[in-house]
Amino acid sequence: MTKHPIILFIITNILAFGLIFFYLQPHDTYILIAGAVVLSMSLITYFCISHFRWGDRYLFIIASMLVVLGVAMLCRINYTIGVKQIVWYAIGIILFTISYMLYAHFHFWRNLQWTYFGASVILFILTLILGQRRGGATNWIIFGPISVQPSEIIKVLFAMFISCGFARQTEKRYHEIKEKYIINACVAIFCGFLILQREWGSTVVFYITYLIMLFIYSDGWGLISLNAAALCAMSALAVKFVAHIQTRVGNWLNPFADPSNLGYQTTQSLFAIATGGFFGTGLGLGHPVFIPEVHSDFIFSAICEEMGVLGGFAIILLFMVLVYRGYKICIIAQGYDKCVATCITTIFGIQTFIIIGGVVNFIPLTGITLPFISYGGSSLTTTFISLGLLQAISRNAQLKYYSPSSQATDDNASEVTP
Amino acid sequence: MRHNTRIVIALCIFCLLFLSIIVYLTHFTLFRAEDVKKSSFNKRLWADENATLRGKIYDVNGVLLAESTREDNGYQTRRYYYGSLYAHVIGYNSTIYGKSQIESTFNDLLLGKDILQSTFNINSVAEKGHDLTLTLDNSVQQAAAKAMGTKHGAVVALDPKTGDVIACYSYPTFDPNDEVLTNTWTTLVNDEDSPILSRATNGLYAPGSTFKTITAAAVLKEDLERMTFNDTGSVVIDGRRFKNYQNKAMGNLDLTKSYALSSNVAFCQWGLQVGADALRQMAYNFGFEKNLESDINITTSRFPQKDMSKTDLASAAIGQWQVLSTPIEMAMVAASVVNRGQMVTPTFVKRATNAAGNIVYDAKKKSTMTATDYTKSLTIEKMMTETVKTGTATACAIDGAIVGGKTGTAENEKQGKEHAWFIGFAMDENRDSDKSIAVAVIVEYSGGTGGTLAIPVARSVMKTYLGK
């Protein structure tokens, strides 16, 4: 058991905040204080995780590392936004702890299936009524100075909701066979609302998460084939009839056909990555501000420009390790916990793949945030809530795993705490 | 347990997806990034460049030719004070259409980057770029443009000893100033006369009788100069009739006389005597088929490597067949004759100086190649001066100067619209003054002879340079 990861995290923090301090003219000591506060909050949380045996030790460090890299980039792009993100990060850590506590110490979560669904539908309807249009999608509710993106909250509710169904299925406790079709219909309703809001990215994340859950937990191949076929048919129809999707696919195939208008986002992103090369221009020496939406969806391109494509690889690999830790928790978890953990990990993985793949033009671009890195209060806090759930599940699983009643063998157990 | 197996499969799929992005990005960075970032839609190119005030460009005597000034909005405007006069040498520097010629090849120096910075791609920004001094002489360049007038073609003048380009002008031309270029671009690229083409360095023409200079060098090399031919106005080789200009019979001719009078009959037969290999080798020695690394792109002149029939050989010996040459290449041929057989690669940029006045780039190092040896170059020089004294180029004589030359009338795809050529050199009668110039002039599709159309242009350039 080494303590190296936390040392790496501390070094990254000091480097990141130190660099921002020297980059900004005039030097602002406030940023160093903010860095110290954030670092100590993370260290306290990490201490709790390792000392009070809160489960997996790596999840939180990986996520914090991603956030700090994102904060460094955001401060460089726009100082105000960067400082706000630091505040959100602090709130995120608090919410992480709260959601961990709540999930670890109460056990009624699996009984609230229709509460999750009802809450989601209410949020969807609120968005449709009060929603403000930003960048093509109607997905913001604005209360005075605070703007909320309900679909981010719904993402957590969605994971909790579909897990209830799958948990019953795995435990062979379906009251009747029809229930899985009801769940399926509910997923369709989720996607329907998202399409109404023109949130194509989230729609894809939700639907593919559902498909992977089906792949892992459903018994037969019937429902999954049906859904996969539906996905293909819908994609084909969308490509054929929805102008917005047509443009996106056209841009993906040939981003340089109309670089000043339709292909603007993609080409600016590619210019940034190409300019950065493997080693990057160096923090503060590139022009990431030329990329539209650089602080949210396109932050990965900015990282590639200034920290290099190798810096981008580091981000991708961190996400890979995060997904690995997540699925590792899934394997030892049981019942409802197992389903929730799978769902959350899958959402992290898909969201990352879709947005990184999109901004580098590996797949068609759909606008969603990059978890932990993109600027955004709703996005960052809800991802930390999800992470808190995952943390709680890992604790529950480890407790069960080590208890004498568990059937696990000893050599398996050694893998649990690396 | 089945679920756990499926979870491991899902994990593997995710790892694969992430790794495929990594592979894709590696491929992109290695193979596509270079092209992508050069796109004119990449604002970074201009953002970095705009921070540096682009260097000025002067002629050899310090006349200001191009300069950038900063506007109120923070952006720069590039001004070319002589408009279209240097369009094919300095080129243009446009945010929309990119850069050409010296603006392109000397971009790093104009942006104030030194060799260390451009090699390691260090992204530091100088306040002021380096200033360039060209080898061109503004007064000679203006004389060349004035003499060409609206005749299509090109003029190149070189310093035979140093390879410095003294004048380089092509017509039709264009105005590279940004607002004019933006307004005329579509017309320019669609114009059948190709005003953007730098005829002097990139135009390929049949060299015609000017190529006899190289054939004569081959004759000297093969020790055949004692031969004489009886010129009856035409000769039949393998069933094809080769004629002199206006079928003129010139009688018994030695090498000098047949060169001075430009006898096709004699040179066709000399070509047959030296043979294809010797003629081709001599063309290679004079720079044909050789990639000339100069400050701006020079198209390689052609003497194809393929089997030649007797008629092909006879035709190549008088600069026809598939022999093609750029005007600057023919100027180099004339220059090497007066430079004792040594051919110097042309230079357009003499030096670059930084804001403090220190020289940061100096074009001292020239690559030379041996076209012919010392004595043979003297013989050819005599043949060329004889041409001006008694032959086809008498119109080129200048008081107080030694002038040599060779006219040419090159057949091309348009019947009765021959290209008029002249290549030559001039130096002060007092040979110690060291001032000499080699010139090549082509007037496209003129239908006239080199003597009537090209010589006045060359003579005007020579006179301006020598101050006669």
Side-chain angles (χ1 to χ4, degrees):
Chain A
M1 209 192 278
T2 70
K3 290 218 178 332
H4 283 151
I6 192 67
I7 291 170
L8 277 178
F9 173 68
I10 294 169
I11 294 172
T12 314
N13 254 283
I14 294 171
L15 278 178
F17 285 100
L19 273 175
I20 300 165
F21 175 73
F22 284 112
Y23 173 68
L24 292 165
Q25 299 285 346
H27 299 314
D28 185 358
T29 38
Y30 176 76
I31 193 78
L32 290 181
I33 297 165
V37 170
V38 167
L39 179 60
S40 36
M41 278 179 78
S42 327
L43 287 179
I44 291 166
T45 319
Y46 179 73
F47 174 77
C48 290
I49 291 170
S50 61
H51 191 261
F52 299 117
R53 301 195 173 277
W54 282 10
D56 195 287
R57 289 152 190 267
Y58 287 88
L59 280 180
F60 182 75
I61 304 184
I62 299 165
S64 298
M65 193 95 147
L66 289 168
V67 177
V68 169
L69 288 171
V71 163
M73 203 65 230
L74 287 169
C75 280
R76 178 258 174 275
I77 292 168
N78 182 335
Y79 185 54
T80 336
I81 278 184
V83 171
K84 277 189 191 166
Q85 182 83 341
I86 294 173
V87 175
W88 286 120
Y89 177 37
I91 296 174
I93 293 175
I94 295 166
L95 287 173
F96 168 82
T97 320
I98 294 173
S99 83
Y100 167 80
M101 294 287 184
L102 289 177
Y103 194 89
H105 296 103
F106 296 100
H107 302 284
F108 52 78
W109 301 105
R110 62 175 309 160
N111 305 324
L112 300 177
Q113 182 174 18
W114 298 105
T115 317
Y116 303 136
F117 185 70
S120 305
V121 171
I122 290 170
L123 280 173
F124 272 132
I125 292 172
L126 275 178
T127 326
L128 282 180
I129 298 168
L130 307 169
Q132 304 273 328
R133 239 179 126 80
R134 273 198 203 170
T138 320
N139 54 2
W140 291 84
I141 299 180
I142 298 176
F143 302 108
I146 306 162
S147 49
V148 187
Q149 206 172 358
S151 62
E152 296 287 348
I153 303 165
I154 294 169
K155 218 175 273 170
V156 185
L157 294 172
F158 174 78
M160 306 279 275
F161 167 71
I162 62 168
S163 297
C164 295
F166 282 111
R168 265 204 296 283
Q169 195 178 347
T170 53
E171 290 155 13
K172 307 281 181 239
R173 277 203 263 154
Y174 261 138
H175 299 302
E176 44 186 322
I177 196 72
K178 272 180 193 154
E179 180 159 355
K180 66 176 177 186
Y181 297 108
I182 295 173
I183 302 283
N184 204 111
C186 292
V187 173
I189 291 172
F190 272 98
C191 292
F193 273 118
L194 286 170
I195 290 173
L196 278 181
Q197 295 172 16
R198 303 281 179 275
E199 275 219 58
W200 304 104
S202 299
T203 315
V204 175
V205 171
F206 278 49
Y207 204 71
I208 294 186
T209 305
Y210 176 63
L211 279 183
I212 291 180
M213 291 297 285
L214 272 180
F215 166 70
I216 296 174
Y217 294 111
S218 86
D219 287 327
W221 288 96
L223 204 55
I224 185 168
S225 339
L226 202 70
N227 276 290
L231 180 68
C232 293
M234 266 161 30
S235 317
L237 283 177
V239 171
K240 199 143 187 175
F241 295 110
V242 184
H244 178 77
I245 307 280
Q246 277 175 341
T247 333
R248 288 292 166 89
V249 174
N251 278 339
W252 170 56
L253 294 173
N254 186 6
F256 291 95
D258 185 9
S260 57
N261 189 15
L262 293 176
Y264 189 70
Q265 287 189 317
T266 312
T267 48
Q268 291 300 326
S269 162
L270 290 179
F271 291 151
I273 297 167
T275 309
F278 280 114
F279 300 101
T281 56
L283 206 60
L285 296 173
H287 297 279
V289 281
F290 290 161
I291 316 166
E293 295 295 323
V294 67
H295 55 279
S296 61
D297 298 359
F298 282 89
I299 192 149
F300 185 78
S301 315
I303 289 174
C304 281
E305 177 173 4
E306 298 209 328
M307 304 186 189
V309 168
L310 290 177
F313 290 171
I315 301 281
I316 295 174
L317 292 174
L318 275 173
F319 275 110
M320 208 160 105
V321 177
L322 185 73
V323 169
Y324 162 71
R325 296 307 301 183
Y327 278 131
K328 195 163 176 152
I329 293 165
C330 298
I331 285 176
I332 57 164
Q334 297 296 327
Y336 179 63
D337 282 1
K338 195 184 186 83
C339 296
V340 174
T342 317
C343 204
I344 289 173
T345 312
T346 310
I347 290 178
F348 283 164
I350 293 180
Q351 200 169 333
T352 309
F353 175 73
I354 285 181
I355 190 60
I356 294 186
V359 298
V360 302
N361 205 39
F362 182 57
I363 55 171
L365 177 69
T366 42
I368 37 170
T369 53
L370 183 58
F372 300 111
I373 299 188
S374 288
Y375 170 72
S378 306
S379 164
L380 193 63
T381 49
T382 51
T383 357
F384 265 109
I385 291 174
S386 308
L387 196 74
L389 300 180
L390 206 53
Q391 188 75 51
I393 292 165
S394 77
R395 170 198 173 261
N396 292 351
Q398 286 184 11
L399 279 180
K400 256 187 209 148
Y401 213 77
Y402 290 125
S403 67
S405 63
S406 164
Q407 292 172 355
T409 57
D410 279 347
D411 47 67
N412 271 344
S414 64
E415 271 183 37
V416 177
T417 43
Chain B
M1 203 173 147
R2 194 176 64 92
H3 296 158
N4 286 351
T5 322
R6 293 273 173 96
I7 289 173
V8 173
I9 294 174
L11 174 62
C12 291
I13 293 173
F14 272 112
C15 290
L16 252 163
L17 289 178
F18 287 141
L19 289 177
S20 60
I21 296 185
I22 291 181
V23 170
Y24 166 84
L25 268 179
T26 311
H27 175 266
F28 176 84
T29 313
L30 284 177
F31 302 110
R32 286 192 51 214
E34 278 307 308
D35 292 337
V36 165
K37 72 181 173 197
K38 276 185 206 145
S39 161
S40 55
F41 290 93
N42 185 0
K43 288 188 260 178
R44 282 164 188 77
L45 299 174
W46 302 103
D48 283 341
E49 290 194 13
N50 195 47
T52 307
L53 189 66
R54 198 173 176 80
K56 297 171 187 165
I57 299 179
Y58 297 99
D59 92 329
V60 70
N61 299 317
V63 178
L64 184 58
L65 305 178
E67 173 181 43
S68 285
T69 47
R70 213 174 269 286
E71 304 290 305
D72 295 336
N73 59 15
Y75 288 97
Q76 300 179 21
T77 313
R78 191 80 168 152
R79 287 178 207 289
Y80 301 97
Y81 290 112
Y82 291 87
S84 61
L85 188 60
Y86 290 93
H88 295 121
V89 179
I90 297 175
Y92 50 82
N93 176 53
S94 154
T95 48
I96 307 165
Y97 310 111
K99 306 175 202 310
S100 71
Q101 306 298 72
I102 284 171
E103 292 279 21
S104 165
T105 46
F106 282 80
N107 192 38
D108 280 353
L109 282 170
L110 287 167
L111 289 175
K113 291 183 188 166
D114 53 35
I115 306 227
L116 191 75
Q117 282 177 330
S118 25
T119 315
F120 293 97
N121 196 17
I122 296 171
N123 212 346
S124 72
V125 176
E127 199 182 319
K128 277 179 120 182
H130 301 317
D131 296 338
L132 298 184
T133 301
L134 304 186
T135 56
L136 281 82
D137 183 325
N138 190 43
S139 55
V140 183
Q141 180 82 353
Q142 280 181 318
K146 194 172 166 228
M148 278 301 278
T150 56
K151 294 193 280 283
H152 289 197
V155 187
V156 179
L158 302 174
D159 183 324
K161 289 191 182 61
T162 59
D164 287 354
V165 178
I166 298 161
C168 179
Y169 181 76
S170 306
Y171 189 87
T173 179
F174 62 96
D175 190 333
N177 281 298
D178 215 17
E179 64 271 34
V180 187
L181 195 65
T182 316
N183 291 333
T184 53
W185 183 262
T186 338
T187 340
L188 289 177
V189 291
N190 293 325
D191 193 332
E192 283 182 12
D193 290 333
S194 328
I196 293 180
L197 173 73
S198 166
R199 288 166 157 75
T201 50
N202 304 119
L204 282 175
Y205 304 93
S209 298
T210 57
F211 191 79
K212 288 173 185 165
T213 318
I214 293 170
T215 311
V219 171
L220 294 171
K221 177 99 192 291
E222 302 294 311
D223 281 331
L224 298 168
E225 69 267 30
R226 273 175 246 286
M227 290 180 78
T228 53
F229 294 98
N230 186 23
D231 184 344
T232 56
S234 67
V235 63
V236 178
I237 294 164
D238 260 8
R240 184 173 153 195
R241 182 173 291 274
F242 288 87
K243 291 180 286 189
N244 284 340
Y245 181 64
Q246 291 174 341
N247 280 336
K248 207 170 151 192
M250 296 169 189
N252 215 21
L253 297 174
D254 63 359
L255 183 62
T256 308
K257 235 176 162 188
S258 52
Y259 183 88
L261 300 173
S262 200
S263 161
N264 287 344
V265 171
F267 267 92
C268 285
Q269 296 179 75
W270 251 306
L272 295 180
Q273 290 302 318
V274 295
D277 292 340
L279 188 62
R280 178 179 285 118
Q281 189 52 51
M282 191 50 72
Y284 289 176
N285 289 353
F286 273 92
F288 278 76
E289 297 293 344
K290 203 157 280 175
N291 185 19
L292 299 169
E293 295 281 345
S294 184
D295 297 332
I296 62 180
N297 168 40
I298 296 176
T299 303
T300 305
S301 297
R302 310 279 299 137
F303 194 109
Q305 169 79 49
K306 54 167 115 168
D307 285 341
M308 297 165 80
S309 68
K310 271 190 168 181
T311 51
D312 289 343
L313 179 55
S315 168
I318 55 169
Q320 297 289 160
W321 185 56
Q322 293 168 18
V323 184
L324 291 171
S325 165
T326 56
I328 197 167
E329 157 68 26
M330 290 319 289
M332 286 166 68
V333 170
S336 63
V337 170
V338 263
N339 194 34
R340 301 289 74 90
Q342 296 299 308
M343 201 171 223
V344 193
T345 309
T347 315
F348 290 81
V349 178
K350 208 173 188 67
R351 63 177 168 268
T353 44
N354 62 13
N358 301 320
I359 294 173
V360 289
Y361 165 87
D362 195 353
K364 264 182 201 147
K365 206 170 148 259
K366 305 273 173 59
S367 66
T368 58
M369 47 197 175
T370 306
T372 179
D373 65 31
Y374 188 95
T375 45
K376 292 186 183 91
S377 76
L378 276 178
T379 316
I380 302 168
E381 188 187 312
K382 267 191 208 114
M383 286 159 56
M384 290 177 82
T385 43
E386 194 61 31
T387 310
V388 173
K389 273 184 201 145
T390 60
T392 52
T394 45
C396 202
I398 300 168
D399 283 344
I402 301 166
V403 185
K406 181 77 196 84
T407 55
T409 311
E411 291 167 14
N412 53 59
E413 73 282 0
K414 291 189 189 169
Q415 207 68 44
K417 288 257 180 193
E418 292 86 1
H419 299 314
W421 271 100
F422 178 77
I423 66 168
F425 58 84
M427 59 194 106
D428 213 283
E429 219 163 30
N430 170 17
R431 278 197 181 234
D432 302 332
S433 85
D434 214 32
K435 213 173 183 186
S436 55
I437 183 170
V439 182
V441 177
I442 180 161
V443 182
E444 280 180 8
Y445 305 114
S446 58
T449 61
T452 53
L453 286 163
I455 284 180
V457 180
R459 186 167 183 266
S460 160
V461 168
M462 290 168 173
K463 278 182 78 171
T464 314
Y465 183 69
L466 296 175
K468 298 285 173 185

